[in-house]
Amino acid sequence: MAQSGVRGKAGPAEAATATATAAPDGRGPSGGGRRGARRGPKRGRRGLRWAAIVLALAILGSAGAGYLYYQHLNDNIAKGERTSGDDSKVRRTQPDAAGRTPLNILLIGSDDRNSAENVKLGGSKDNRGNPPLGDVQMLIHLSADRESAAMVSIPRDTRVAIPKCVDPKTSRVYPPTEDIINTTLARGGAGCTLATWEKLTDVFIDHWMTIDFTGVVRMADAIGGVDVCVNQNVWDHSTPAQRGGSGLKLTAGRHQVKHVQALQWLRTRHAWGSDVMRARAQHMYLNSMIRTLKGQNVFTDSGRLMDLAEAATKSLKVSQEIGTVKKLYDLGTQLKAVPANRITSVTMPNVDDPLNKEHVVPQKTEADKLWEMLRDDVPLDKNGKPSTSTSTSKPQPAKTPSLQPSRLGVVVANGTGSSTQAAVPGRAAAIGTALTQAGYGRATKDTSAALSEDETVVRYPSADLEGDAQGVAKALGIPLNQVERSTDVSGVTVVVGADWRTGTAYPKKAAPKAGDIPAGSDAINGSDTSACMDVYKPYQW
């Protein structure tokens, strides 16, 4: 790997730490539904009420000083815009039968070296002043019922399509491009990283959080240390074949890491052998940290609670809609309530990039399956109660068409191209012919520039054409949840996506089931206390 590859590093674990210790949506662990509240044991409810009371007393103290301290904590929190990318076409997951929706939080570990402390911790003084890279990126998915969670990493060297982004501070416009995903943080901040994830996954992301080197150390110390494990002695240092290294040096076995050692664990790549294995080590750390927090009752120790609140609010930068102590605390409460055996950590299935052997690209079939499970809120574990339905999403209601098919103008566009696959010639014409045979005699193909859509979609510009768009989808066998309103079209438009590369009937897909984890995901369950890292031979001592 190139020297720049050493810059990756730290933080999703600590970002989640902050969410698990101090962090808000106001719905509580069950997502706010009364049905969920009835299921919880009375002792758990009393515990949460007691925790809230102690937190209030610890933070607020007296009316004067307490209020000032609460404002101090709020002032500690740095905030930014949720997205700085083009207007997203991503749809929120439909509420479940109880009206609850999943929650998605993007955690970003920044290699920012724009302070003396970060340079000291992160090395490479030559990079001081450079735009930070988002070398650690992980999506936390909390299920609608708040009973399961997924932690999904994307390797920092994954080549992706990056949308146009606008820096909210300077108003600089970054045109759309293809590059590795860690560069997105330097193209308009975390909001551009979020927009890129949404473009890649079609998963709506509610919030983001970022943390830098200094924040990692601060949070690790506030937690009191996290248990990690290596199967062999490890020393991640420069070698004749590879410069750089985190400096992590441990003997074989289990260790509790904090301060700089925690940062070294999260930054280590060479000693694990690859970026994918670094993601595994980060998942182990995060799972261990969550188990540690679950075993600690910090709410009865006001001094400890203050330390955690101070560390969390100083360590994080968050999207502005969650930028208060109250909202962060509420969010952390929801995350902490998920049982460890219902938390699953995975890495996006990937393959070598054909354009650059040092990069990777999504393994499309398996990665798409993973994104579908997140969109449909399908648990990655099998430890929950059996469900009688294959999806938590409500079916989209059918509308009455306003025109006869023979009078409706329909445009068909070829969107089968992607970052990893060339467009299939003639797809627009083939589907246009199929529509004509189904009675849509005014169907025509789009002759403008080729589009790119991972999933086939039918778009319409105004509410009066919704029923007509649904009729077109039905004629082609396209699910109604792939019909959407868009100001980018002037009439009903079918965009044939990369998921429909052959044939004239839309391919039926079996809905994923709970625990049906895509191949190549390197899954780890949050209750697995036996997980231990193997050390790449050149870094054993």
Side-chain angles (χ1 to χ4, degrees), residues 376-394:
D376 290 349
D377 199 23
V378 178
L380 297 188
D381 70 280
K382 295 181 178 179
N383 298 324
K385 295 179 181 178
S387 174
T388 56
S389 65
T390 58
S391 173
T392 58
S393 300
K394 294 180 181 178

Side-chain angles (χ1 to χ4, degrees), residues 268-336:
T268 293
R269 175 171 64 89
H270 301 312
W272 308 142
S274 69
D275 268 333
V276 174
M277 287 297 98
R278 175 165 65 177
R280 168 176 269 265
Q282 291 164 352
H283 291 159
M284 288 181 184
Y285 181 100
L286 185 52
N287 285 334
S288 179
M289 179 271 298
I290 291 173
R291 292 193 300 268
T292 299
L293 286 168
K294 284 179 176 294
Q296 296 175 348
N297 193 1
V298 300
F299 299 106
T300 60
D301 184 342
S302 60
R304 175 82 188 287
L305 184 62
M306 292 294 189
D307 290 342
L308 286 167
E310 194 76 34
T313 55
K314 283 183 176 179
S315 299
L316 292 173
K317 181 175 181 180
V318 303
S319 50
Q320 57 193 10
E321 70 285 348
I322 54 169
T324 69
V325 172
K326 170 66 167 64
K327 290 178 179 178
L328 290 176
Y329 171 74
D330 289 345
L331 181 58
T333 300
Q334 294 178 60
L335 179 61
K336 191 177 179 183

Side-chain angles (χ1 to χ4, degrees), residues 364 416-418 421-424 427 496-503 507:
K364 184 165 177 52
T416 55
S418 70
Q421 301 179 96
V424 178
R427 291 301 290 152
V496 185
D499 61 338
W500 193 8
R501 300 175 68 82
T502 61

Side-chain angles (χ1 to χ4, degrees), residues 386-532:
S387 174
T388 56
S389 65
T390 58
S391 173
T392 58
S393 300
K394 294 180 181 178
Q396 188 169 337
K399 303 287 185 181
T400 303
S402 62
L403 295 172
Q404 292 295 322
S406 60
R407 297 179 56 199
L408 179 69
V410 183
V411 174
V412 184
N414 185 350
T416 55
S418 70
S419 60
T420 58
Q421 301 179 96
V424 178
R427 291 301 290 152
I431 303 307
T433 299
L435 277 174
T436 300
Q437 294 172 350
Y440 290 90
R442 297 183 64 187
T444 59
K445 70 175 183 177
D446 185 357
T447 58
S448 61
L451 301 175
S452 177
E453 290 284 348
D454 287 337
E455 185 177 66
T456 298
V457 65
V458 181
R459 296 190 171 113
Y460 60 94
S462 55
D464 58 307
L465 289 174
E466 182 176 4
D468 302 284
Q470 290 181 343
V472 169
K474 184 177 180 180
L476 295 171
I478 300 170
L480 292 189
N481 62 7
Q482 291 168 223
V483 177
E484 63 181 30
R485 185 170 176 175
S486 172
T487 57
D488 291 342
V489 297
S490 56
V492 175
T493 301
V494 179
V495 182
V496 185
D499 61 338
W500 193 8
R501 300 175 68 82
T502 61
T504 55
Y506 188 69
K508 295 184 181 298
K509 297 178 290 186
K513 298 179 180 179
D516 189 13
I517 299 174
S521 299
D522 193 30
I524 305 175
N525 187 272
S527 63
D528 183 1
T529 59
S530 66
C532 208

